[in-house]
Amino acid sequence: MGYAEFYRRSIDDRDAFWAEQARLIDWKEPPRTICDHSHPPFTRWFAGGTTNLCHNAVDRHLKDRADQPALIYVSTETGAERTYTFRELHGEVQRAAAALKDLGVQKGDRVLIYMPMIAEAAFAMLACARIGAIHSVVFGGFASVSLASRIEDATPKVIISADAGSRGGKVLAYKPLLDEAIRLSSHKPESVLLVDRGLAPMERVAGRDHDWAELTGRHSPAAVPCEWLDSTAISYTIYTSGTTGRPKGVQRDVGGYAVALAASMKHIFLGEPGETYFSTSDIGWVVGHSYIVYGPLIAGMATIMYEGLPIRPDAGIWWSLVEKYKVSAMFSAPTAVRVLKKQDPAFLKKYDLSSLKALFLAGEPLDEPTARWISDGLGVPIIDNYWQTESGWPILTIANGVEKKSSKFGSPGVPMYGYDVKLVHESTGEELTRPDEKGVVVIEGPTPPGFMQTVWGDDERFVKTYWQTVPGRMVYSTFDWGIRDEDGYFYILGRTDDVINVAGHRLGTREIEESISSHPNVAEVAVVGVADPLKGQAAMAFVVARDASALTDDKAKLKLEGDIMKLVDEQLGAVARPSRVHFVNLLPKTRSGKLLRRAIQAVAEGRDAGDLTTIEDPSALQQIRDLMGPIQK
Ligand code: PRX
């Protein structure tokens, strides 16, 4: 079957299509209803069925591949390197599940995971899935204020963490940040389970803090059966940024997600059982959930979990892993490739890469020079894929497992099966059907399996944030601009909201603004994303100081800029730190007081500011132009 027909079936004969895909996983009870869309925009997939993600990722493979590699852990930070077979992974996950049960964790309880890239993080996620606890993994690069807001919202019974992470040889202590976050949050976890890597000293709170090795070690061996869960039960939440400062808990189900991942591994990601998958993301991001932990394991593949930089000890490290573990498919982000591009290209030729069939890239726009450089260097297809935390798996790409198709540079590809992708006019919501018309990328419901169910604890916010009624129907907004060419290939042109994408990390400018505003000498602030050759975008802040009298010379400005950056580091984490903080006496606003963000961004990027008829005081923008001037010219 060609892809066009495969796709059409997924939309026109939805239930039959997905009933077939559902056979890719194990069910305890088979689903009774394939797609329940009786309360739009909510969609319930495979209702009546019972299954378990951990069973499908681990136990299911014991029959055929118990002694084959499942999880390959490599840290170039600590020198640790260890392969866990499916049998060993099964043992580790059960021990972790037993420890969680000891701490009173039951089905439906939340477990927040704030961990570096260590094997225990994957054990913890799978252990939660096993017993039906809802995990909420928070990116280890976030600091105490980001973490506190997530603890507050997820209300976890247990938090699993570690003494420290390490990046580029620099130890980053997690425990003090965690303690501070718990102090800031009104919700307090009953227990904290801590992996001690011996990297940083930890102060322990008696009665609350427990040692991972000690608690899991008590259960050797442990037998904790998988809890059979309703397909529509909640598997996990993952926080992501949007227009408001408050992060949203993207909530996912069990059965739909398992089917979506199994199908995507088969049709998109070359998921051959017994082969090795290497995704360079982090478990704190959606790519880590779907394509480090669950997807490859569900497909019966070995998955590499890598802690470290792509260029340390040298820029050949990833390719040496491809050679050593015979990696068949790799998944990374354009930023990482741009980092490698600055290094000696000989590293791409140093290792035997004959096992590698494709490199998948996602998370941010893939520019043509980067795509060409890595494609020529590796000699394998580069497959761009566009999706979101909300979707859980690709919305636009090429499904080479269904039909081999060529990619077009600059385009992530065509709509994936199950996604009824449209372009609509920004304000009227009318569908745009002519080639090369720019509009907002939307998805007409029902959304496919694996897609977010709702915003954790806030159905209303889910509907209000994402869904809009356009003439005749309700559509989900991706908040991305796009165009489609005459062959049906889409091109993504950036976000329509205040989300920025720094080195593939999705950040809300409002969160950064809130953090900067907490500095005593900040009266007002605007943060915008500006184009950056390496990171795709960088956050740039424009601040009106409360007391500008001290900001008379460059030294004073640099001092305040440094203080503000430090504050963001401490509150949100270094990923959110603005690349520059500029000082102005007023910010460009409309006469009704709305910040003119798009105009600020345009000027900061050296572009034309566009329509300024509503601006209150044009001199505000002129100040920014003057500040940028010497850099731009
Ligand atoms: O703006 C789009 C951009 O990243 C956003 C989603 O980020 P996140 O929720 O972190 O999920 C990443 C999952 C891969 C999108 O709204 N984006 C993601 N992939 C691409 C992209 N922009 C252009 N091309 C892509 N391939």
Side-chain angles (χ1 to χ4, degrees):
M1 192 192 302
Y3 184 73
E5 190 190 340
F6 187 78
Y7 176 78
R8 277 272 46 101
R9 271 196 66 216
S10 77
I11 304 295
D12 297 343
D13 198 5
R14 193 178 52 225
D15 283 12
F17 178 91
W18 285 109
E20 209 170 282
Q21 304 304 316
R23 286 200 277 278
L24 292 170
I25 67 154
D26 273 4
W27 297 87
K28 176 74 173 160
E29 285 294 326
R32 278 198 297 272
T33 313
I34 299 300
C35 176
D36 171 6
H37 195 231
S38 53
H39 299 285
F42 300 94
T43 311
R44 297 169 74 242
W45 281 100
F46 309 116
T50 56
T51 185
N52 183 290
L53 275 167
C54 184
H55 167 84
N56 278 287
V58 184
D59 302 43
R60 185 190 189 195
H61 304 301
L62 293 175
K63 190 162 60 72
D64 296 330
R65 54 190 84 256
D67 296 313
Q68 288 182 15
L71 183 73
I72 300 166
Y73 177 64
V74 180
S75 171
T76 49
E77 296 290 335
T78 62
E81 186 158 347
R82 176 158 178 203
T83 297
Y84 299 84
T85 62
F86 277 98
R87 192 195 309 281
E88 287 165 334
L89 180 60
H90 187 236
E92 296 291 349
V93 170
Q94 289 188 96
R95 275 190 283 283
L100 288 175
K101 287 197 147 192
D102 274 357
L103 297 175
V105 176
Q106 292 176 353
K107 189 164 125 181
D109 284 341
R110 272 81 55 218
V111 174
L112 189 138
I113 298 174
Y114 177 60
M115 290 172 99
M117 287 288 284
I118 53 177
E120 287 82 354
F123 305 154
M125 290 168 74
L126 291 162
C128 289
R130 191 169 191 87
I131 62 173
I134 300 167
H135 63 65
S136 192
V137 183
V138 176
F139 176 55
F142 281 134
S144 49
V145 171
S146 307
L147 182 56
S149 63
R150 287 153 176 82
I151 296 174
E152 190 93 46
D153 194 75
T155 59
K157 181 174 248 176
V158 172
I159 297 181
I160 309 179
S161 190
D163 55 341
S166 178
R167 201 177 149 75
K170 200 170 147 241
V171 170
L172 303 158
Y174 278 31
K175 183 64 175 20
L177 299 178
L178 173 62
D179 285 338
E180 173 64 4
I182 295 174
R183 195 186 64 76
L184 291 171
S185 166
S186 64
H187 171 83
K188 311 289 175 198
E190 281 173 24
S191 315
V192 174
L193 188 53
L194 295 158
V195 176
D196 189 352
R197 310 176 74 191
L199 292 179
M202 278 193 283
E203 270 181 35
R204 291 171 208 254
V205 177
R208 186 196 75 181
D209 294 357
H210 303 268
D211 184 69
W212 170 283
E214 202 254 315
L215 218 59
T216 58
R218 276 192 214 156
H219 301 277
S220 260
V224 179
C226 286
E227 185 85 40
W228 296 109
L229 303 165
D230 286 342
S231 176
T232 56
I234 308 166
S235 58
Y236 69 78
T237 64
I238 176 168
Y239 286 86
T240 193
S241 311
T243 299
T244 63
R246 197 159 56 96
K248 286 184 291 273
V250 166
Q251 176 184 313
R252 237 185 278 291
D253 69 356
V254 176
Y257 188 53
V259 171
L261 292 183
S264 72
M265 290 305 297
K266 179 168 181 222
H267 306 311
I268 304 169
F269 290 111
L270 308 171
E272 288 295 325
E275 295 190 343
T276 305
Y277 200 85
F278 178 18
S279 167
T280 68
S281 182
D282 188 286
I283 47 141
W285 305 112
V286 70
V287 178
H289 284 61
S290 294
Y291 298 112
I292 294 177
V293 180
Y294 292 114
L297 292 175
I298 287 175
M301 299 180 85
T303 185
I304 296 183
M305 197 170 164
Y306 173 74
E307 181 187 49
L309 302 178
I311 51 168
R312 193 171 172 272
D314 61 45
I317 177 64
W318 284 357
W319 318 118
S320 77
L321 295 178
V322 170
E323 176 182 283
K324 182 167 180 187
Y325 295 106
K326 301 200 170 36
V327 171
S328 56
M330 238 180 119
F331 192 139
S332 193
T335 296
V337 179
R338 286 193 293 265
V339 167
L340 293 174
K341 203 167 119 203
K342 294 177 88 180
Q343 309 286 319
D344 184 351
F347 282 117
L348 291 178
K349 299 282 170 229
K350 199 173 158 193
Y351 298 94
D352 175 7
L353 307 180
S354 56
S355 59
L356 193 65
K357 293 184 256 187
L359 169 66
F360 299 91
L361 295 174
E364 54 180 318
L366 174 61
D367 56 285
E368 191 163 335
T370 301
R372 285 201 191 277
W373 180 81
I374 193 72
S375 170
D376 292 348
L378 296 178
V380 300
I382 304 303
I383 300 170
D384 189 357
N385 53 117
Y386 159 86
W387 46 294
Q388 308 183 305
T389 305
E390 290 83 347
S391 72
W393 63 283
I395 299 170
L396 301 170
T397 184
I398 303 290
N400 276 328
V402 181
E403 181 191 0
K404 289 240 173 325
K405 268 199 168 198
S406 49
S407 300
K408 290 192 187 188
F409 280 119
S411 163
V414 298
M416 282 300 95
Y417 50 91
Y419 288 101
D420 195 358
V421 185
K422 307 236 152 92
L423 286 169
V424 297
H425 186 273
E426 180 192 14
S427 44
T428 65
E430 258 167 289
E431 191 177 341
L432 308 174
T433 49
R434 280 198 303 276
D436 301 332
E437 276 183 295
K438 180 178 168 181
V440 180
V441 180
V442 303
I443 299 163
E444 191 169 340
T447 46
F451 209 87
M452 74 185 292
Q453 290 180 299
T454 185
V455 171
W456 164 255
D458 201 341
D459 285 348
E460 197 186 327
R461 190 165 175 213
F462 171 63
V463 178
K464 278 204 175 136
T465 306
Y466 293 107
W467 293 85
Q468 66 191 73
T469 307
V470 299
R473 55 183 167 265
M474 247 182 141
V475 293
Y476 164 93
S477 175
T478 60
F479 294 98
D480 279 305
W481 295 109
I483 55 169
R484 178 177 38 207
D485 69 13
E486 66 278 4
D487 301 325
Y489 282 68
F490 279 73
Y491 296 77
I492 299 296
L493 308 171
R495 298 278 305 194
T496 63
D497 60 1
D498 302 327
V499 165
I500 58 171
N501 198 320
V502 180
H505 301 322
R506 172 168 161 184
L507 302 167
T509 49
R510 296 290 170 99
E511 278 170 87
I512 306 174
E513 285 171 3
E514 276 177 24
S515 171
I516 294 177
S517 300
S518 71
H519 190 282
N521 198 13
V522 171
E524 268 192 297
V525 54
V527 172
V528 295
V530 294
D532 181 276
L534 195 62
K535 297 179 169 181
Q537 278 187 308
M540 192 175 278
F542 295 91
V543 162
V544 179
R546 218 174 269 286
D547 174 9
S549 60
L551 294 179
T552 44
D553 57 31
D554 285 350
K555 213 170 133 213
K557 284 184 191 160
L558 270 177
K559 164 87 174 59
L560 185 54
E561 177 173 17
D563 289 350
I564 290 173
M565 287 183 176
K566 197 160 154 266
L567 181 80
V568 176
D569 276 11
E570 282 166 7
Q571 293 192 349
L572 304 184
V575 283
R577 182 201 304 157
S579 62
R580 282 302 315 265
V581 180
H582 294 290
F583 299 98
V584 290
N585 351 342
L586 80 167
L587 289 170
K589 290 189 184 159
T590 63
R591 279 185 282 277
S592 54
K594 228 176 131 247
L595 207 55
L596 285 163
R597 288 164 190 286
R598 282 194 206 175
I600 302 175
Q601 185 191 33
V603 170
E605 289 185 336
R607 290 182 285 117
D608 182 60
D611 178 19
L612 290 173
T613 42
T614 59
I615 194 165
E616 163 90 22
D617 183 346
S619 76
L621 215 50
Q622 191 53 44
Q623 270 190 46
I624 296 178
R625 227 173 258 128
D626 294 344
L627 277 167
M628 299 293 118
I631 311 166
Q632 300 292 319
K633 276 171 206 154

